Amino acid sequence: MRPSTPPQQRPENSQLRCQPKSGQPRQPNSGQSPLLHGQRSHCPHLADTPLLDTVRLARTCLPELASHSLDHLARHLQLQIPRDRHRALADVRLTLAVLQRLINRGHWSTLMDLERIALMPAKKPGPSVADQPGLF
């Protein structure tokens, strides 16, 4: 990730950068990924990891888009959609590229700024961490 530029030095052209509304409240939490939450008994560390939701971030950055699906975001951000789309690694790489573009377009200079917009905290605490035999 590139070093952040102090907010006062960033371009103010709203066509190039998204601008979260000042004083915007944290969006309602819909909970963490159902897939991760469903696996909390097997891997509580992973299930209790907060996430950054690229859809929430995209809705803030690009409210004019009719859809905020990964394919629509990739096309809008002029990213190449991989031939092996819908395979795990290809989807992760495309999601990362979308996230990097959204971060570069936004007026966020800290992780706390991103969390205010896109944090998806864990649904509920999983089993005791001491109960997990391995994997994180």
Side-chain angles (χ1 to χ4, degrees), residues 9 11 28 36 48 60 94 116-117 124:
Q9 295 177 3
L36 291 180
D48 289 342
T60 300
L94 185 57
R116 190 181 73 253
I117 302 298
K124 292 182 181 176

Side-chain angles (χ1 to χ4, degrees), residues 30-106:
S30 62
Q32 195 180 55
S33 162
L35 177 66
L36 291 180
H37 184 71
Q39 297 301 315
R40 69 191 178 283
S41 63
H42 304 291
C43 194
H45 286 297
L46 184 59
D48 289 342
T49 302
L51 306 173
L52 286 177
D53 185 346
T54 54
V55 173
R56 289 180 186 176
L57 196 58
R59 286 180 181 153
T60 300
C61 279
L62 305 166
E64 71 279 4
L65 295 183
S67 171
H68 294 90
S69 70
L70 186 56
D71 288 332
H72 282 98
L73 288 170
R75 280 192 288 275
H76 180 79
L77 297 169
Q78 300 176 345
L79 295 168
Q80 182 177 0
I81 296 177
R83 288 179 310 194
D84 55 349
R85 171 80 172 89
H86 296 294
R87 302 294 297 170
L89 186 57
D91 284 1
V92 167
R93 287 180 173 155
L94 185 57
T95 301
L96 175 60
V98 166
L99 178 62
Q100 288 173 326
R101 293 275 175 100
L102 293 174
I103 288 172
N104 290 338
R105 292 172 67 104

